[in-house]
mmCIF file of all heavy atoms in Angstrom:
data_model
loop_
_atom_site.group_PDB
_atom_site.id
_atom_site.type_symbol
_atom_site.label_atom_id
_atom_site.label_comp_id
_atom_site.label_asym_id
_atom_site.label_seq_id
_atom_site.Cartn_x
_atom_site.Cartn_y
_atom_site.Cartn_z
ATOM 1 N N ALA A 265 0.815 -1.217 0.000
ATOM 2 C CA ALA A 265 0.000 0.000 0.000
ATOM 3 C C ALA A 265 0.849 1.267 0.000
ATOM 4 O O ALA A 265 0.383 2.333 -0.406
ATOM 5 C CB ALA A 265 -0.941 0.007 1.195
ATOM 6 N N LEU A 266 2.095 1.167 0.459
ATOM 7 C CA LEU A 266 2.986 2.330 0.525
ATOM 8 C C LEU A 266 4.029 2.321 -0.585
ATOM 9 O O LEU A 266 4.879 3.209 -0.640
ATOM 10 C CB LEU A 266 3.684 2.376 1.893
ATOM 11 C CG LEU A 266 2.756 2.449 3.117
ATOM 12 C CD1 LEU A 266 3.575 2.422 4.395
ATOM 13 C CD2 LEU A 266 1.882 3.696 3.066
ATOM 14 N N ALA A 267 3.956 1.342 -1.470
ATOM 15 C CA ALA A 267 4.976 1.187 -2.516
ATOM 16 C C ALA A 267 5.005 2.380 -3.463
ATOM 17 O O ALA A 267 6.053 2.699 -4.032
ATOM 18 C CB ALA A 267 4.726 -0.103 -3.288
ATOM 19 N N HIS A 268 3.877 3.074 -3.648
ATOM 20 C CA HIS A 268 3.854 4.209 -4.572
ATOM 21 C C HIS A 268 4.765 5.335 -4.104
ATOM 22 O O HIS A 268 5.262 6.124 -4.914
ATOM 23 C CB HIS A 268 2.418 4.720 -4.760
ATOM 24 C CG HIS A 268 1.791 5.273 -3.527
ATOM 25 N ND1 HIS A 268 1.689 6.614 -3.283
ATOM 26 C CD2 HIS A 268 1.214 4.661 -2.460
ATOM 27 C CE1 HIS A 268 1.078 6.816 -2.129
ATOM 28 N NE2 HIS A 268 0.780 5.650 -1.604
ATOM 29 N N LEU A 269 5.015 5.409 -2.792
ATOM 30 C CA LEU A 269 5.938 6.419 -2.279
ATOM 31 C C LEU A 269 7.374 6.049 -2.626
ATOM 32 O O LEU A 269 8.200 6.921 -2.940
ATOM 33 C CB LEU A 269 5.773 6.563 -0.764
ATOM 34 C CG LEU A 269 4.371 6.952 -0.291
ATOM 35 C CD1 LEU A 269 4.313 6.986 1.227
ATOM 36 C CD2 LEU A 269 3.951 8.292 -0.881
ATOM 37 N N VAL A 270 7.678 4.772 -2.555
ATOM 38 C CA VAL A 270 9.002 4.299 -2.969
ATOM 39 C C VAL A 270 9.212 4.588 -4.450
ATOM 40 O O VAL A 270 10.264 5.100 -4.867
ATOM 41 C CB VAL A 270 9.159 2.790 -2.692
ATOM 42 C CG1 VAL A 270 10.529 2.294 -3.161
ATOM 43 C CG2 VAL A 270 8.948 2.491 -1.216
ATOM 44 N N ASP A 271 8.198 4.291 -5.256
ATOM 45 C CA ASP A 271 8.298 4.512 -6.701
ATOM 46 C C ASP A 271 8.501 5.986 -7.025
ATOM 47 O O ASP A 271 9.152 6.331 -8.016
ATOM 48 C CB ASP A 271 7.035 4.000 -7.397
ATOM 49 C CG ASP A 271 6.870 2.488 -7.257
ATOM 50 O OD1 ASP A 271 7.886 1.806 -7.002
ATOM 51 O OD2 ASP A 271 5.725 2.001 -7.389
ATOM 52 N N ALA A 272 7.916 6.858 -6.186
ATOM 53 C CA ALA A 272 8.055 8.297 -6.416
ATOM 54 C C ALA A 272 9.381 8.843 -5.910
ATOM 55 O O ALA A 272 9.696 10.021 -6.126
ATOM 56 C CB ALA A 272 6.897 9.038 -5.744
ATOM 57 N N GLY A 273 10.163 8.010 -5.224
ATOM 58 C CA GLY A 273 11.459 8.437 -4.716
ATOM 59 C C GLY A 273 11.386 9.372 -3.527
ATOM 60 O O GLY A 273 12.316 10.146 -3.287
ATOM 61 N N ILE A 274 10.288 9.314 -2.771
ATOM 62 C CA ILE A 274 10.125 10.198 -1.617
ATOM 63 C C ILE A 274 10.694 9.522 -0.370
ATOM 64 O O ILE A 274 10.293 8.411 -0.027
ATOM 65 C CB ILE A 274 8.644 10.536 -1.386
ATOM 66 C CG1 ILE A 274 8.077 11.275 -2.601
ATOM 67 C CG2 ILE A 274 8.460 11.373 -0.130
ATOM 68 C CD1 ILE A 274 6.597 11.563 -2.512
ATOM 69 N N PRO A 275 11.628 10.160 0.327
ATOM 70 C CA PRO A 275 12.117 9.603 1.596
ATOM 71 C C PRO A 275 10.978 9.493 2.603
ATOM 72 O O PRO A 275 10.185 10.426 2.759
ATOM 73 C CB PRO A 275 13.159 10.621 2.058
ATOM 74 C CG PRO A 275 13.568 11.354 0.813
ATOM 75 C CD PRO A 275 12.327 11.407 -0.032
ATOM 76 N N VAL A 276 10.879 8.352 3.279
ATOM 77 C CA VAL A 276 9.783 8.095 4.211
ATOM 78 C C VAL A 276 10.332 7.590 5.535
ATOM 79 O O VAL A 276 11.228 6.737 5.563
ATOM 80 C CB VAL A 276 8.796 7.056 3.643
ATOM 81 C CG1 VAL A 276 7.739 6.685 4.675
ATOM 82 C CG2 VAL A 276 8.123 7.585 2.381
ATOM 83 N N VAL A 277 9.800 8.108 6.626
ATOM 84 C CA VAL A 277 10.087 7.600 7.968
ATOM 85 C C VAL A 277 8.759 7.222 8.606
ATOM 86 O O VAL A 277 7.827 8.040 8.644
ATOM 87 C CB VAL A 277 10.816 8.639 8.841
ATOM 88 C CG1 VAL A 277 10.985 8.120 10.264
ATOM 89 C CG2 VAL A 277 12.177 8.984 8.249
ATOM 90 N N LEU A 278 8.662 5.991 9.087
ATOM 91 C CA LEU A 278 7.483 5.557 9.825
ATOM 92 C C LEU A 278 7.666 5.902 11.297
ATOM 93 O O LEU A 278 8.744 5.696 11.863
ATOM 94 C CB LEU A 278 7.269 4.051 9.673
ATOM 95 C CG LEU A 278 7.024 3.533 8.256
ATOM 96 C CD1 LEU A 278 6.842 2.015 8.283
ATOM 97 C CD2 LEU A 278 5.818 4.199 7.625
ATOM 98 N N VAL A 279 6.610 6.395 11.920
ATOM 99 C CA VAL A 279 6.687 6.777 13.323
ATOM 100 C C VAL A 279 5.578 6.079 14.101
ATOM 101 O O VAL A 279 4.435 6.016 13.649
ATOM 102 C CB VAL A 279 6.597 8.322 13.469
ATOM 103 C CG1 VAL A 279 5.288 8.849 12.934
ATOM 104 C CG2 VAL A 279 6.805 8.761 14.901
ATOM 105 N N GLN A 280 5.942 5.506 15.234
ATOM 106 C CA GLN A 280 5.039 4.820 16.164
ATOM 107 C C GLN A 280 4.562 3.453 15.687
ATOM 108 O O GLN A 280 4.454 2.536 16.473
ATOM 109 C CB GLN A 280 3.810 5.679 16.478
ATOM 110 C CG GLN A 280 4.042 6.771 17.484
ATOM 111 C CD GLN A 280 2.737 7.276 18.013
ATOM 112 O OE1 GLN A 280 1.889 7.758 17.265
ATOM 113 N NE2 GLN A 280 2.536 7.182 19.305
ATOM 114 N N ARG A 281 4.208 3.354 14.423
ATOM 115 C CA ARG A 281 3.708 2.086 13.886
ATOM 116 C C ARG A 281 4.603 1.616 12.751
ATOM 117 O O ARG A 281 4.946 2.396 11.853
ATOM 118 C CB ARG A 281 2.276 2.244 13.370
ATOM 119 C CG ARG A 281 1.274 2.636 14.436
ATOM 120 C CD ARG A 281 -0.101 2.807 13.798
ATOM 121 N NE ARG A 281 -1.118 3.159 14.772
ATOM 122 C CZ ARG A 281 -2.406 3.337 14.469
ATOM 123 N NH1 ARG A 281 -2.804 3.170 13.202
ATOM 124 N NH2 ARG A 281 -3.281 3.651 15.393
ATOM 125 N N ASP A 282 4.960 0.350 12.782
ATOM 126 C CA ASP A 282 5.803 -0.228 11.752
ATOM 127 C C ASP A 282 4.943 -0.967 10.734
ATOM 128 O O ASP A 282 3.788 -1.325 11.018
ATOM 129 C CB ASP A 282 6.812 -1.182 12.388
ATOM 130 C CG ASP A 282 8.076 -1.327 11.565
ATOM 131 O OD1 ASP A 282 8.150 -0.734 10.464
ATOM 132 O OD2 ASP A 282 8.997 -2.034 12.017
ATOM 133 N N VAL A 283 5.499 -1.190 9.558
ATOM 134 C CA VAL A 283 4.826 -1.958 8.508
ATOM 135 C C VAL A 283 5.801 -3.016 8.024
ATOM 136 O O VAL A 283 6.878 -2.689 7.510
ATOM 137 C CB VAL A 283 4.390 -1.055 7.334
ATOM 138 C CG1 VAL A 283 3.806 -1.898 6.204
ATOM 139 C CG2 VAL A 283 3.382 -0.018 7.804
ATOM 140 N N ASP A 284 5.462 -4.273 8.207
ATOM 141 C CA ASP A 284 6.347 -5.373 7.839
ATOM 142 C C ASP A 284 6.728 -5.301 6.363
ATOM 143 O O ASP A 284 5.862 -5.140 5.490
ATOM 144 C CB ASP A 284 5.675 -6.722 8.110
ATOM 145 C CG ASP A 284 5.487 -6.989 9.599
ATOM 146 O OD1 ASP A 284 6.179 -6.336 10.395
ATOM 147 O OD2 ASP A 284 4.635 -7.834 9.948
ATOM 148 N N GLY A 285 8.033 -5.407 6.117
ATOM 149 C CA GLY A 285 8.515 -5.480 4.745
ATOM 150 C C GLY A 285 8.606 -4.166 4.015
ATOM 151 O O GLY A 285 9.009 -4.139 2.847
ATOM 152 N N ALA A 286 8.255 -3.057 4.662
ATOM 153 C CA ALA A 286 8.270 -1.772 3.964
ATOM 154 C C ALA A 286 9.692 -1.276 3.712
ATOM 155 O O ALA A 286 9.963 -0.611 2.721
ATOM 156 C CB ALA A 286 7.486 -0.728 4.751
ATOM 157 N N GLY A 287 10.609 -1.574 4.640
ATOM 158 C CA GLY A 287 11.998 -1.172 4.468
ATOM 159 C C GLY A 287 12.281 0.287 4.737
ATOM 160 O O GLY A 287 13.355 0.791 4.396
ATOM 161 N N PHE A 288 11.321 1.005 5.358
ATOM 162 C CA PHE A 288 11.525 2.416 5.669
ATOM 163 C C PHE A 288 12.261 2.580 7.002
ATOM 164 O O PHE A 288 12.313 1.659 7.829
ATOM 165 C CB PHE A 288 10.184 3.146 5.764
ATOM 166 C CG PHE A 288 9.400 3.191 4.482
ATOM 167 C CD1 PHE A 288 8.060 2.836 4.464
ATOM 168 C CD2 PHE A 288 9.989 3.597 3.301
ATOM 169 C CE1 PHE A 288 7.320 2.892 3.295
ATOM 170 C CE2 PHE A 288 9.265 3.653 2.118
ATOM 171 C CZ PHE A 288 7.926 3.298 2.120
ATOM 172 N N ASP A 289 12.806 3.781 7.219
ATOM 173 C CA ASP A 289 13.281 4.131 8.555
ATOM 174 C C ASP A 289 12.095 4.069 9.519
ATOM 175 O O ASP A 289 10.950 4.342 9.136
ATOM 176 C CB ASP A 289 13.858 5.551 8.572
ATOM 177 C CG ASP A 289 15.065 5.711 7.661
ATOM 178 O OD1 ASP A 289 15.972 4.868 7.731
ATOM 179 O OD2 ASP A 289 15.092 6.675 6.875
ATOM 180 N N TYR A 290 12.398 3.754 10.787
ATOM 181 C CA TYR A 290 11.324 3.634 11.773
ATOM 182 C C TYR A 290 11.785 4.225 13.095
ATOM 183 O O TYR A 290 12.917 4.001 13.547
ATOM 184 C CB TYR A 290 10.951 2.168 11.984
ATOM 185 C CG TYR A 290 10.004 1.949 13.161
ATOM 186 C CD1 TYR A 290 8.666 2.282 13.064
ATOM 187 C CD2 TYR A 290 10.481 1.452 14.373
ATOM 188 C CE1 TYR A 290 7.811 2.113 14.138
ATOM 189 C CE2 TYR A 290 9.627 1.282 15.457
ATOM 190 C CZ TYR A 290 8.293 1.619 15.337
ATOM 191 O OH TYR A 290 7.451 1.459 16.403
ATOM 192 N N VAL A 291 10.878 4.978 13.748
ATOM 193 C CA VAL A 291 11.128 5.519 15.088
ATOM 194 C C VAL A 291 9.895 5.240 15.936
ATOM 195 O O VAL A 291 8.772 5.585 15.553
ATOM 196 C CB VAL A 291 11.404 7.035 15.052
ATOM 197 C CG1 VAL A 291 11.696 7.545 16.471
ATOM 198 C CG2 VAL A 291 12.572 7.361 14.128
ATOM 199 N N GLY A 292 10.112 4.605 17.076
ATOM 200 C CA GLY A 292 8.980 4.291 17.948
ATOM 201 C C GLY A 292 9.438 3.906 19.334
ATOM 202 O O GLY A 292 10.540 4.270 19.764
ATOM 203 N N VAL A 293 8.604 3.168 20.021
ATOM 204 C CA VAL A 293 8.842 2.762 21.415
ATOM 205 C C VAL A 293 8.717 1.247 21.492
ATOM 206 O O VAL A 293 8.008 0.626 20.695
ATOM 207 C CB VAL A 293 7.823 3.439 22.356
ATOM 208 C CG1 VAL A 293 7.964 2.929 23.782
ATOM 209 C CG2 VAL A 293 7.996 4.948 22.320
#
């Protein structure tokens, strides 16, 4: 569902909630 952001070349950081297999930076608790 988030792959279109990867295709667009937009840097993404996930915060609080992770998404398996997304491969983005993640910051949480």
Side-chain angles (χ1 to χ4, degrees):
L266 301 177
H268 64 101
L269 301 177
V270 178
D271 296 338
I274 298 176
V276 174
V277 175
L278 298 180
V279 61
Q280 281 197 301
R281 298 178 179 181
D282 206 357
V283 175
D284 292 341
F288 296 131
D289 298 312
Y290 170 75
V291 182
V293 174

